[in-house]
Amino acid sequence: MEKEVLEKYKKAGRMCAEARRDTEKSFKAGMRILDIAERIEAKIMGMGGRPAFPVNISINDITAHYTPSANDQRVVERGDLVKIDVGAHVDGYIGDMAFTCCTDPDNPLVRCARKALDAGIKVIEPGVTVAEISHAIEETVSKAGLGVIVNLTGHTLDKYVFHGSPSIPNTKNNSAHRFNEGDVIALEPFVTEKKSFVKESGPVEIFRYLQDRPVRLAEARKILALARDEYGKLPFAKRWLLKQFSPIKVALALRQLEASYALERYPVLREAGGRPVAQAEDTIIVSDPPVVTTRFAEPTKKK
Ligand code: CO
């Protein structure tokens, strides 16, 4: 990997780590999740980065793809499992990181997700296979008497590509795909009471550019150009559009763009049995030793 590219990955990762530290410090019951999301996104911009996707704040059985709507009134309740998935990029080089906040710091699901992530990171070296990483993750979760979400996986990252292939399942498999020095991957175990899966649910607040298509509404054409150029074909939130366009135009435009397959939609994902889920995620550059871009490399100095 070129030095310049490595530095951008590290910079993006550090923005995620900063956002996490800031969020954990202020996290408490009663906070509006909209405020948490907006604060993180502003922080990333303030550090000279861009969000690689809208901050996802998925609570309890809501597992992924929930970003607050523009007038979201939901607040954190005592005992909630609040999964915060943060993406930052610098010129398309992405840091992808998630952590679970809970007013109970000893929540076993939260601890297990973290432990499974660490176990996955531990086996990373040039030449490691997908199967070896997946094994380390699932083994840790089953030993704790808990289960993974089988249809959510880790993934590779590339310039402006936030979910590249191959995917890295959290369940044991036979994939002999090897990762090489300089590959960038994100591991993200999701842990619940027993092995299960997520299903699609409403609402849809996150979209992504797919292709140019002719659409009638002027705002739809503007939004499509924004999705392509401004957001670099990475996912964006409906709430971001409302800073520039009226709610009625946004609703109409998104409907046209979805119907013509110009945009992809990301429905909220929920654990199928309504069970609470915890998540942990980091971005890692494959090398010996691995570089975890989304954690602080050294203990932070006291001021
Ligand atoms: Co990810």
Side-chain angles (χ1 to χ4, degrees):
M1 181 184 290
E2 288 167 46
K3 195 164 183 290
E4 198 183 318
V5 171
L6 174 68
E7 283 313 310
K8 286 177 180 174
Y9 271 119
K10 282 187 176 173
K11 222 169 141 183
R14 195 170 178 86
M15 289 172 191
C16 296
E18 294 276 4
R20 174 179 180 172
R21 182 165 62 187
D22 182 58
T23 306
E24 284 180 334
K25 220 178 343 175
S26 56
F27 183 83
K28 54 176 187 286
M31 290 177 86
R32 284 208 314 168
I33 62 170
L34 175 61
D35 295 334
I36 300 175
E38 290 197 321
R39 181 174 164 134
I40 293 173
E41 287 164 5
K43 198 168 168 66
I44 289 168
M45 307 275 264
M47 289 184 283
R50 311 303 298 266
F53 49 82
V55 173
N56 285 209
I57 304 187
S58 308
I59 298 182
N60 298 336
D61 62 317
I62 299 177
T63 307
H65 300 173
Y66 188 103
T67 199
S69 64
N71 54 3
D72 210 307
Q73 297 302 322
R74 184 157 188 173
V75 297
V76 171
E77 310 274 358
R78 195 152 285 285
D80 275 350
L81 283 188
V82 184
K83 295 165 287 299
I84 304 182
D85 199 333
V86 177
H89 78 87
V90 175
D91 296 335
Y93 300 103
I94 299 168
D96 186 358
M97 178 216 61
F99 55 104
T100 303
C101 286
C102 184
T103 50
D104 168 18
D106 291 325
N107 183 287
L109 297 175
V110 177
R111 273 188 308 171
C112 181
R114 194 76 199 153
K115 213 171 148 191
L117 172 60
D118 286 343
I121 293 173
K122 216 170 150 190
V123 300
I124 292 177
E125 58 181 10
V128 69
T129 63
V130 167
E132 286 163 344
I133 298 173
S134 301
H135 183 95
I137 291 173
E138 187 170 27
E139 196 66 10
T140 305
V141 177
S142 8
K143 271 193 186 145
L146 299 167
V148 296
I149 298 292
V150 302
N151 57 343
L152 288 174
T153 67
H155 50 90
T156 63
L157 289 160
D158 212 334
K159 193 178 184 186
Y160 287 109
V161 178
F162 85 112
H163 272 188
S165 53
S167 58
I168 305 164
N170 295 311
T171 51
K172 293 175 190 175
N173 59 75
N174 298 319
S175 170
H177 178 94
R178 286 183 193 282
F179 292 113
N180 299 314
E181 175 98 36
D183 284 345
V184 186
I185 63 179
L187 302 186
E188 51 179 321
F190 290 82
V191 176
T192 185
E193 288 151 32
K194 58 177 229 182
K195 199 163 170 170
S196 72
F197 59 97
V198 287
K199 14 182 224 194
E200 289 189 354
S201 156
V204 184
E205 290 285 333
I206 304 175
F207 298 85
R208 187 173 74 91
Y209 173 90
L210 276 184
Q211 57 187 330
D212 282 335
R213 299 283 288 166
V215 275
R216 282 182 54 207
L217 194 70
E219 283 78 5
R221 290 195 292 274
K222 281 185 202 156
I223 288 169
L224 190 57
L226 211 60
R228 186 187 59 218
D229 306 330
E230 178 78 12
Y231 306 137
K233 304 181 187 175
L234 291 165
F236 62 91
K238 191 170 169 184
R239 104 183 111 76
W240 295 354
L241 302 174
L242 296 172
K243 295 187 165 111
Q244 293 183 48
F245 306 100
S246 73
I248 183 87
K249 295 281 196 218
V250 167
L252 280 170
L254 288 175
R255 207 172 307 153
Q256 281 192 6
L257 291 166
E258 267 186 62
S260 59
Y261 301 102
L263 294 181
E264 179 182 12
R265 61 213 289 279
Y266 290 88
V268 164
L269 300 174
R270 276 180 189 266
E271 200 280 334
R275 299 176 192 90
V277 179
Q279 174 198 18
E281 177 179 27
D282 275 305
T283 296
I284 304 111
I285 300 174
V286 177
S287 60
D288 191 11
V291 177
V292 184
T293 65
T294 42
R295 292 187 194 179
F296 293 114
E298 46 203 328
T300 46
K301 291 174 206 119
K302 280 188 195 137
K303 276 187 194 144

